[in-house]
Amino acid sequence: MKFSSVIRKFTVLLALATLSLAVMNCSKKDDGGDPSPQGQIVGSWKFTNLFVKEGSSPEVDQFPIITAFLPCFKDIVIIFNANGTVSGTVPAACQGDVDDVVGDITQSKYELKGDQLILTDSDGQQSSMTVSFSGNTMSWTETDTDGGVTTTTRVVMTKQ
C-alpha cells in the first residue's frame, strides 16, 4: 500500500477541518432541502469512511486506522456554507496534530461544477474531486496514478 498517498489525502481532509478554528455559524431549519448538488452539500458533515484502493487490490477502509492514532478525527465537523465558503470545528485534542500536519488555514471556498467539487484554499491552490450524494451521505472520489499504479481514494461523510 502506498502510505504517502494516503497521508497526502488525509492532509487535504485535515486542511478542510482546520478551517473552522475561527468560524461558527448558526444553522437554518431544514425545510426538506434542495435536491440539487448545490443544495445537498450545504450543511455540517462528519467523516465516516476513508476507502483506498491501490491498483487491483481490494478497497480498504483506512478510517479505523486513522481514528486509532487520532481518535478525535471522528469528531471533526466540516461545514459547507450556502455562500460557497467552508468552515467547521476541530476538537481541542486534534488541534496540535492538525496544525502540525497542514498549518493554519484561515479560509477556503468550494464550487460544484457538475459532479466535480473544487476546493480552493487561502493560497489559491485548488483540489478537484468527483462528488456524489446518496441520502445523508456524500462521497468524494479522487484517482492518482504514480509509477503505473492507480490509487483511488473515496472519502465518505455523513450529514449531521
Side-chain angles (χ1 to χ4, degrees):
M1 171 193 231
K2 192 159 125 188
F3 195 69
S4 64
S5 177
V6 172
I7 295 263
R8 189 179 53 203
K9 307 264 188 272
F10 178 66
T11 301
V12 171
L13 296 175
L14 286 176
L16 288 173
T18 62
L19 298 171
S20 67
L21 300 177
V23 181
M24 295 294 293
N25 63 338
C26 299
S27 62
K28 293 191 272 182
K29 190 174 188 176
D30 188 5
D31 61 357
D34 179 349
S36 71
Q38 288 80 5
Q40 288 178 308
I41 198 170
V42 173
S44 300
W45 300 84
K46 281 189 174 184
F47 299 104
T48 51
N49 302 94
L50 176 64
F51 295 103
V52 177
K53 179 178 181 357
E54 237 184 307
S56 60
S57 299
E59 185 177 66
V60 176
D61 188 1
Q62 299 295 320
F63 192 74
I65 295 168
I66 293 168
T67 57
F69 289 104
L70 196 61
C72 53
F73 186 75
K74 68 183 177 316
D75 299 319
I76 294 171
V77 177
I78 305 297
I79 303 167
F80 287 87
N81 301 297
N83 66 358
T85 61
V86 181
S87 59
T89 59
V90 178
C94 280
Q95 290 292 306
D97 294 320
V98 170
D99 288 345
D100 288 344
V101 174
V102 296
D104 181 25
I105 297 173
T106 58
Q107 62 179 241
S108 186
K109 296 183 180 191
Y110 75 92
E111 182 180 7
L112 286 168
K113 289 186 176 180
D115 67 349
Q116 293 297 300
L117 172 62
I118 302 163
L119 300 169
T120 306
D121 69 17
S122 60
D123 294 331
Q125 287 191 324
Q126 290 189 333
S127 299
S128 179
M129 60 225 51
T130 303
V131 65
S132 62
F133 299 91
S134 177
N136 68 339
T137 64
M138 171 173 52
S139 296
W140 301 351
T141 305
E142 187 174 27
T143 302
D144 290 321
T145 301
D146 186 24
V149 177
T150 299
T151 302
T152 301
T153 304
R154 182 171 54 96
V155 177
V156 180
M157 302 176 86
T158 302
K159 197 167 202 174
Q160 303 302 294

